[in-house]
Amino acid sequence: MKICGVVAEYNPFHNGHARHLAETRRLLSAETAIVCAMSGNYVQRGSLAVFEKYRRAEAAARCGADLVLELPLSACLWSAPGFARGGISLLHALGCVTHLSFGVECASLALLRRAAALSRAQSRRAAALKRGLAAGLSYAAAMQQAVCADDPAAGELLSSPNNTLAIEYLSALHALESAIEPIAIPREGAAHDCHEAQNGLPSASHLRSLLAAGQLEACKPLMPAASFAILETAMQEGAAPVWTETLDPAMAAHLRRQPPAALATYCGGGDGLENRLADAIREKISFAAICAAAQTRRYPLARVRRALLRAWLDLPVSVPPEAAYVRVLAIGPRGRDVLRRMKETCPLPVILKPVAERRLPEALHPALTRDTLADDLYALAFPAPTLRAGGGRFRKTPYCCK
């Protein structure tokens, strides 16, 4: 049995995601089981997911995924290298995943591997990176400049977000000496962050912009029917859409209690971002305004947003992106078969129901506590006030395909 891993956010699950899963099976076999390591209630761009993780996981399971597992919280709020480390280490730890599928602008595995090797080499040499950073570039831009100096074609790949993630996935596989075989699938339809669909294939950011404008019906032809139905139901129940800006007053109150030294624990890099954040937090009120005031060429918007959410969640960058346990969010048609295999091959505890957490070793309690707090704070942003009580995660169980 082939088992293919996918690292995803599905924020929300749309036609492009369904195409990616279908193309993966076309290349491997129709019987291939697909396991998704999916971001939970917080996503890598530095925001709250537009609707909560169990519903998004159900959408994935009803639209092609066989098992949906939660990506570690720390990985969700990391730049591309940490995000990739978290996803790949989780899939590798399952012990039964044979392939990894990802969508890219460039489907040449040879070129992607070359770019990954050059990125690792630049990280070791550091001289070219330091020159770029000293010139005020972000880490990602400095890395691209350094790789371009060695190989322009490989460096050009780093200008596209999906290519960048693919390169980091390959580096993570290399670091783990994993036998998982990568598959690069050419991305079709709208480009990342493009605000119009192409051939019925949108970007997730386009769908979020439609939701922000109150245009739910415009999303319908751009999403699989099951995924749209789940989103529509969530909106009818007051559980979506969820926006980070809903938390502005509470977040501002919390952030203003943080001195620069404390903020530094959530920033990483040691490059002074904490001081710029402290100034912005003191002067501005809303999350968006704080981000806009702190953002520079050296401090990209996504990094600023992630640092602020880490401070809000009390999630220091010292918390590694690797999983300490496996949380199951949804089980699709072949999911039970994969779970049976995991029992024999995965050394990590597997959480199917909240009651299982009580039996986990004490060493895992800090991670469980962080996850509980993160979900309780996420609940404060639900449109319906009646849904904002804490403890919701203890009432959730995975969706199971019949």
Side-chain angles (χ1 to χ4, degrees):
M1 180 184 188
K2 293 177 182 176
I3 301 177
C4 186
V6 173
V7 184
E9 294 196 313
Y10 298 149
N11 186 35
F13 192 99
H14 56 64
N15 289 344
H17 297 134
R19 176 196 169 274
H20 173 243
L21 298 187
E23 185 67 5
T24 297
R25 284 203 174 90
R26 186 187 72 79
L27 292 173
L28 292 177
S29 75
E31 293 74 32
T32 298
I34 295 179
V35 178
C36 297
M38 188 192 79
S39 295
N41 286 331
Y42 299 83
V43 293
Q44 203 248 347
R45 65 187 294 268
S47 68
L48 278 63
V50 75
F51 63 119
E52 64 90 29
K53 59 189 179 185
Y54 279 95
R55 296 186 195 239
R56 289 174 19 250
E58 178 185 348
R62 290 175 61 184
C63 297
D66 292 299
L67 190 64
V68 185
L69 311 175
E70 185 174 2
L71 196 65
L73 176 63
S74 186
C76 297
L77 292 175
W78 214 299
S79 59
F83 182 83
R85 273 175 55 201
I88 298 305
S89 64
L90 173 59
L91 294 172
H92 177 76
L94 302 183
C96 57
V97 174
T98 58
H99 294 77
L100 172 73
S101 176
F102 44 78
V104 284
E105 289 84 6
C106 168
S108 169
L109 270 176
L111 187 55
L112 289 166
R113 284 190 167 113
R114 193 158 80 236
L118 287 170
S119 296
R120 294 193 298 271
Q122 289 295 349
S123 295
R124 290 193 297 270
R125 293 200 294 263
L129 274 177
K130 287 181 180 178
R131 286 195 296 272
L133 294 171
L137 297 179
S138 68
Y139 181 88
M143 175 62 81
Q144 183 182 5
Q145 180 177 277
V147 172
C148 273
D150 282 343
D151 187 328
E156 179 60 28
L157 296 183
L158 292 166
S159 64
S160 301
N162 291 295
N163 287 343
T164 299
L165 270 177
I167 288 165
E168 295 299 342
Y169 293 149
L170 294 174
S171 286
L173 289 172
H174 178 271
L176 290 168
E177 298 181 350
S178 177
I180 294 174
E181 183 180 341
I183 303 171
I185 294 182
R187 182 186 174 100
E188 292 186 3
H192 182 82
D193 278 345
C194 178
H195 287 286
E196 61 180 40
Q198 294 182 13
N199 300 321
L201 300 175
S203 68
S205 59
H206 176 49
L207 291 178
R208 293 193 298 271
S209 68
L210 291 174
L211 292 174
Q215 299 179 38
L216 174 63
E217 283 302 311
C219 298
K220 191 170 186 177
L222 306 177
M223 302 173 67
S227 181
F228 179 81
I230 292 167
L231 171 59
E232 185 177 40
T233 299
M235 293 183 68
Q236 290 169 351
E237 295 175 356
V242 173
W243 306 115
T244 310
E245 289 69 23
T246 306
L247 299 174
D248 278 348
M251 193 176 292
H254 177 77
L255 293 175
R256 286 190 178 180
R257 293 187 174 95
Q258 306 296 318
L263 290 172
T265 65
Y266 308 113
C267 295
D271 54 2
L273 173 57
E274 66 274 11
N275 297 314
R276 193 166 182 87
L277 284 180
D279 290 342
I281 289 165
R282 184 176 63 250
E283 296 171 3
K284 306 297 181 181
I285 299 172
S286 71
F287 182 79
I290 292 170
C291 291
Q295 177 189 6
T296 66
R297 187 167 71 147
R298 185 170 191 176
Y299 308 131
L301 179 59
R303 182 184 171 196
V304 170
R305 294 174 66 97
R306 287 192 296 265
L308 290 173
L309 281 183
R310 281 180 171 273
W312 165 244
L313 298 173
D314 190 21
L315 181 67
V317 291
S318 58
V319 176
E322 288 83 5
Y325 46 84
V326 179
R327 185 179 300 280
V328 178
L329 298 179
I331 303 171
R334 303 173 185 83
R336 292 176 180 83
D337 291 338
V338 178
L339 283 171
R340 280 193 286 270
R341 292 186 181 226
M342 283 169 50
K343 287 182 180 179
E344 302 174 358
T345 58
C346 181
L348 300 177
V350 177
I351 300 174
L352 275 167
K353 297 182 179 180
V355 68
E357 296 185 19
R358 300 174 184 173
R359 299 191 292 270
L360 295 181
E362 189 173 344
L364 297 179
H365 289 183
L368 291 166
T369 299
R370 281 193 298 270
D371 286 353
T372 300
L373 174 63
D375 288 347
D376 285 350
L377 292 177
Y378 178 89
L380 293 174
F382 282 133
T386 54
L387 299 179
R388 295 174 186 167
R393 67 178 288 148
F394 298 109
R395 298 185 289 274
K396 299 285 178 68
T397 55
Y399 165 80
C400 295
C401 183
K402 295 179 181 178

